[in-house]
Amino acid sequence: MSVNNRDYFIFDKRTDDEDNAYSLRYYSNLVALDLKYLETNPIDAPRVNYDLSNHYNSLGWYLIMAKNFEQSLVRFKESLKYNPDNKYAKSNIPHVYLFTNQFEKAKTHYKKLKNDEFNGAGSKLAKFKDAFLADFVEFEDEEKGLIEPGSELQKQVEEIKNLLK
């Protein structure tokens, strides 16, 4: 397939019931296609950079779900390289610090961002703290296995939740 337009999105769509491995492949492919497209069509850089930022962020999220925290941080930083204002990538970085035993660094980031606008008034994710708390619900899902009940990590998450209130 020649990447001369951005219609490649029609070739592979993820549905909500797909597994994490599929999502990792999906976003990895989108990033590769975006990078190739950007290389051959630099005039579209503003639009492609925005998409690349979102795709790198999504890839980072699914890497968290796969417990590949170091690689997720790399992807979030790549996301911010293409769009320094990507709030989702900014909100995910402290999670990586938390999962990689950098509690004080995570806590500093959560504190710094918690009252900043995320999606604005009227949204259920109005502030960063709302996004953080929503993410913790996802992380605490026992099927995901990211936070073991009674673990030191769970205690740290509870401390962060209290900090965010």
Side-chain angles (χ1 to χ4, degrees), residues 4-58:
N4 59 5
N5 66 47
R6 305 238 21 251
D7 292 337
Y8 53 79
F9 288 99
I10 65 172
F11 294 106
D12 197 2
K13 287 287 189 183
R14 186 180 71 82
T15 60
D16 289 339
D17 61 344
E18 298 293 348
D19 66 5
N20 196 57
Y22 178 88
S23 298
L24 285 169
R25 286 191 310 275
Y26 176 75
Y27 285 106
S28 292
N29 288 337
L30 283 180
V31 165
L33 287 166
D34 284 341
L35 289 170
K36 186 64 175 172
Y37 181 84
L38 187 59
E39 181 183 304
T40 59
N41 298 278
I43 195 165
D44 290 336
R47 182 178 58 155
V48 178
N49 286 348
Y50 178 83
D51 289 342
L52 262 168
S53 178
N54 290 330
H55 297 151
Y56 270 120
N57 177 67
S58 294

Side-chain angles (χ1 to χ4, degrees), residues 98 110 132-140 157 160-161 164:
L98 185 63
Y110 287 122
F132 294 144
L133 292 169
D135 289 346
F136 287 138
V137 169
E138 184 89 6
F139 298 151
E140 291 175 319
V157 167
I160 297 297
K161 285 181 182 177
L164 295 173

Side-chain angles (χ1 to χ4, degrees), residues 91-115 129 132 136 153 155-164:
S91 75
N92 288 325
I93 288 174
H95 299 326
V96 174
Y97 294 140
L98 185 63
F99 283 118
T100 56
N101 300 314
Q102 299 177 68
F103 179 69
E104 290 304 320
K105 193 171 188 177
K107 190 173 167 182
T108 299
H109 278 75
Y110 287 122
K111 261 185 178 175
K112 178 183 174 198
L113 293 170
K114 75 177 190 174
N115 291 315
K129 65 183 173 184
F132 294 144
F136 287 138
L153 180 59
K155 292 173 189 167
Q156 292 173 340
V157 167
E158 290 306 316
E159 184 176 333
I160 297 297
K161 285 181 182 177
N162 289 328
L163 174 99
L164 295 173

